[in-house]
Amino acid sequence: MDFHEVEADGIYVVDLAPGARVKSANDKNQVGLLPALHISWPYDESLNLVGNQESPFPTLNKEPPFNAILDLDSPAVEDLFRHLRTSITIRLSSIPVTDLMGIPRQQIAILFSGGLDCTLIARIAHDVLPSQIEIDLLNVAFENPRVVEAANKSDSATSNSYSVYERCPDRLTGRSSYEELRKVCPSRKWRFVAINIPYSETFSHRSTVLTLLLPHNTEMDLSIGYALYFASRGCGLIATEHGSDVFFTTPAKVLLSGLGADELFGGYQRHATAYDRRGHSGLADELELDFKRIGKRNLGRDDRIISHWGKEVRYPYLDEDVVTWALKAPISHKCGFGQDRGAKPSLDPSKKILRLLAWQLGVRVAAGEKKRAIQFGARTARMETGKKKGTQLVSEEH
């Protein structure tokens, strides 16, 4: 059977009358759509959409940029902080933090690459949770044979299996941001869970990951799927007070993810490219496209992968109020493309509002981190030699 991932653009209806047979999701006679009507911008409160399927979100604000520079004093930074804090509070409030005897028990974990998005979530979560609650930071790194082989030719030190994982980009940024969180929030016990995955283990789970990915089946989906699959399992090494490492499995059943930040605030390289080539209108079109396809492109796939382990993932950046605020705000209030790069602090224009907020909250190393795709940070991309593209379909033969 040919399965399709439905869009998040309304309610799909299938005719289940006796004798009806659905041949294809593209068959307009058998699959109907009740479309979601997006509120136009500027928002007209007098608009009567009663009786229609109304989207909770407005259309993206594409107004031309203002001359104002996005900086630490911009009101938008405080506005976003208020919305994000509320979003994280809501997503943590239903998670038990004590056992039946009232003793604090850690049940909080974050999918943690050490990048801007997840570190900002961790920093705000610290403000929300009681200080005695520990927070697990799940950081995954893979043994990539292709990378190891190339590195061994130039540096024999990489033959050490430990350094294979410690040299992964996401492990380096993960430990850096972990140390920064410890300094900024010393009253919190942060637990850095180093999840090291040998290539043999990756390969042994390949068929399971491919099944969970369906109907997604590209090389990029597989690379991302591997990273989310093993990270959400939550099994790795933690350092003891004596400096030794012990095996540990997080007890958390709910994970926090930074998904949505790049789509809403212009974090991908293609956003910078769109601005360079077509200016503000090109950037606006790219942002609109990313938000519209996030359900089909990311959410279904990620949920199938993570729920395999009996875990639930929650997305603070995709809270309805956060999304609504981000869509209504002028693009120049969210990212700094085309603005003066000499402003202090000097931060990358991508997701600049998040970088400014992170700077205000003290995680300034994370505020300066460049965007890096999970498959490259964890080194799950191109594990075998050859010229495979991310859009190439996964071969069944392996």
Side-chain angles (χ1 to χ4, degrees), residues 143 197-205:
E143 177 192 21
I197 309 299
Y199 176 69
S200 58
E201 187 173 6
T202 303
F203 183 77
S204 68
H205 287 258

PDB file of all heavy atoms in Angstrom, residues 143 197-205:
ATOM      1  N   GLU A 143      29.884   6.720  15.950  1.00  0.00           N
ATOM      2  CA  GLU A 143      31.090   6.285  15.263  1.00  0.00           C
ATOM      3  C   GLU A 143      30.772   6.212  13.771  1.00  0.00           C
ATOM      4  O   GLU A 143      29.993   5.365  13.344  1.00  0.00           O
ATOM      5  CB  GLU A 143      31.539   4.918  15.768  1.00  0.00           C
ATOM      6  CG  GLU A 143      32.759   4.374  15.045  1.00  0.00           C
ATOM      7  CD  GLU A 143      33.022   2.915  15.343  1.00  0.00           C
ATOM      8  OE1 GLU A 143      32.080   2.206  15.775  1.00  0.00           O
ATOM      9  OE2 GLU A 143      34.157   2.471  15.135  1.00  0.00           O
ATOM     10  N   ILE A 197      27.370   5.789  20.244  1.00  0.00           N
ATOM     11  CA  ILE A 197      26.796   4.710  19.440  1.00  0.00           C
ATOM     12  C   ILE A 197      27.825   4.168  18.444  1.00  0.00           C
ATOM     13  O   ILE A 197      28.172   4.849  17.472  1.00  0.00           O
ATOM     14  CB  ILE A 197      25.541   5.191  18.676  1.00  0.00           C
ATOM     15  CG1 ILE A 197      24.568   5.884  19.623  1.00  0.00           C
ATOM     16  CG2 ILE A 197      24.876   4.010  17.973  1.00  0.00           C
ATOM     17  CD1 ILE A 197      24.031   5.014  20.744  1.00  0.00           C
ATOM     18  N   PRO A 198      28.315   2.941  18.662  1.00  0.00           N
ATOM     19  CA  PRO A 198      29.232   2.335  17.696  1.00  0.00           C
ATOM     20  C   PRO A 198      28.516   2.066  16.376  1.00  0.00           C
ATOM     21  O   PRO A 198      27.289   1.909  16.333  1.00  0.00           O
ATOM     22  CB  PRO A 198      29.638   1.014  18.377  1.00  0.00           C
ATOM     23  CG  PRO A 198      29.170   1.107  19.776  1.00  0.00           C
ATOM     24  CD  PRO A 198      28.041   2.081  19.808  1.00  0.00           C
ATOM     25  N   TYR A 199      29.282   2.001  15.300  1.00  0.00           N
ATOM     26  CA  TYR A 199      28.675   1.771  13.991  1.00  0.00           C
ATOM     27  C   TYR A 199      27.929   0.441  13.950  1.00  0.00           C
ATOM     28  O   TYR A 199      26.861   0.340  13.348  1.00  0.00           O
ATOM     29  CB  TYR A 199      29.735   1.798  12.898  1.00  0.00           C
ATOM     30  CG  TYR A 199      29.163   1.476  11.530  1.00  0.00           C
ATOM     31  CD1 TYR A 199      28.304   2.371  10.902  1.00  0.00           C
ATOM     32  CD2 TYR A 199      29.462   0.273  10.899  1.00  0.00           C
ATOM     33  CE1 TYR A 199      27.750   2.073   9.664  1.00  0.00           C
ATOM     34  CE2 TYR A 199      28.914  -0.026   9.657  1.00  0.00           C
ATOM     35  CZ  TYR A 199      28.063   0.878   9.045  1.00  0.00           C
ATOM     36  OH  TYR A 199      27.511   0.583   7.823  1.00  0.00           O
ATOM     37  N   SER A 200      28.463  -0.585  14.607  1.00  0.00           N
ATOM     38  CA  SER A 200      27.806  -1.894  14.599  1.00  0.00           C
ATOM     39  C   SER A 200      26.411  -1.823  15.202  1.00  0.00           C
ATOM     40  O   SER A 200      25.473  -2.478  14.730  1.00  0.00           O
ATOM     41  CB  SER A 200      28.648  -2.926  15.364  1.00  0.00           C
ATOM     42  OG  SER A 200      28.861  -2.499  16.704  1.00  0.00           O
ATOM     43  N   GLU A 201      26.248  -1.003  16.238  1.00  0.00           N
ATOM     44  CA  GLU A 201      24.933  -0.857  16.864  1.00  0.00           C
ATOM     45  C   GLU A 201      23.996  -0.056  15.969  1.00  0.00           C
ATOM     46  O   GLU A 201      22.806  -0.374  15.857  1.00  0.00           O
ATOM     47  CB  GLU A 201      25.063  -0.184  18.229  1.00  0.00           C
ATOM     48  CG  GLU A 201      23.749  -0.156  19.002  1.00  0.00           C
ATOM     49  CD  GLU A 201      23.904   0.357  20.419  1.00  0.00           C
ATOM     50  OE1 GLU A 201      25.015   0.800  20.774  1.00  0.00           O
ATOM     51  OE2 GLU A 201      22.912   0.334  21.170  1.00  0.00           O
ATOM     52  N   THR A 202      24.524   0.974  15.338  1.00  0.00           N
ATOM     53  CA  THR A 202      23.716   1.739  14.385  1.00  0.00           C
ATOM     54  C   THR A 202      23.171   0.828  13.305  1.00  0.00           C
ATOM     55  O   THR A 202      21.975   0.837  12.994  1.00  0.00           O
ATOM     56  CB  THR A 202      24.559   2.850  13.735  1.00  0.00           C
ATOM     57  OG1 THR A 202      25.094   3.697  14.746  1.00  0.00           O
ATOM     58  CG2 THR A 202      23.720   3.689  12.780  1.00  0.00           C
ATOM     59  N   PHE A 203      24.055   0.023  12.719  1.00  0.00           N
ATOM     60  CA  PHE A 203      23.662  -0.864  11.627  1.00  0.00           C
ATOM     61  C   PHE A 203      22.638  -1.905  12.079  1.00  0.00           C
ATOM     62  O   PHE A 203      21.701  -2.232  11.343  1.00  0.00           O
ATOM     63  CB  PHE A 203      24.898  -1.569  11.058  1.00  0.00           C
ATOM     64  CG  PHE A 203      24.596  -2.454   9.882  1.00  0.00           C
ATOM     65  CD1 PHE A 203      24.367  -1.903   8.620  1.00  0.00           C
ATOM     66  CD2 PHE A 203      24.505  -3.827  10.030  1.00  0.00           C
ATOM     67  CE1 PHE A 203      24.072  -2.715   7.536  1.00  0.00           C
ATOM     68  CE2 PHE A 203      24.208  -4.643   8.949  1.00  0.00           C
ATOM     69  CZ  PHE A 203      23.991  -4.086   7.694  1.00  0.00           C
ATOM     70  N   SER A 204      22.762  -2.414  13.315  1.00  0.00           N
ATOM     71  CA  SER A 204      21.843  -3.448  13.798  1.00  0.00           C
ATOM     72  C   SER A 204      20.423  -2.931  13.985  1.00  0.00           C
ATOM     73  O   SER A 204      19.470  -3.707  13.992  1.00  0.00           O
ATOM     74  CB  SER A 204      22.354  -4.037  15.120  1.00  0.00           C
ATOM     75  OG  SER A 204      22.285  -3.082  16.162  1.00  0.00           O
ATOM     76  N   HIS A 205      20.260  -1.610  14.111  1.00  0.00           N
ATOM     77  CA  HIS A 205      18.929  -1.018  14.294  1.00  0.00           C
ATOM     78  C   HIS A 205      18.399  -0.394  13.005  1.00  0.00           C
ATOM     79  O   HIS A 205      17.340   0.232  13.015  1.00  0.00           O
ATOM     80  CB  HIS A 205      18.968   0.052  15.392  1.00  0.00           C
ATOM     81  CG  HIS A 205      19.099  -0.500  16.775  1.00  0.00           C
ATOM     82  ND1 HIS A 205      18.035  -0.607  17.642  1.00  0.00           N
ATOM     83  CD2 HIS A 205      20.171  -0.981  17.440  1.00  0.00           C
ATOM     84  CE1 HIS A 205      18.448  -1.118  18.789  1.00  0.00           C
ATOM     85  NE2 HIS A 205      19.735  -1.356  18.698  1.00  0.00           N
TER      86      HIS A 205
END
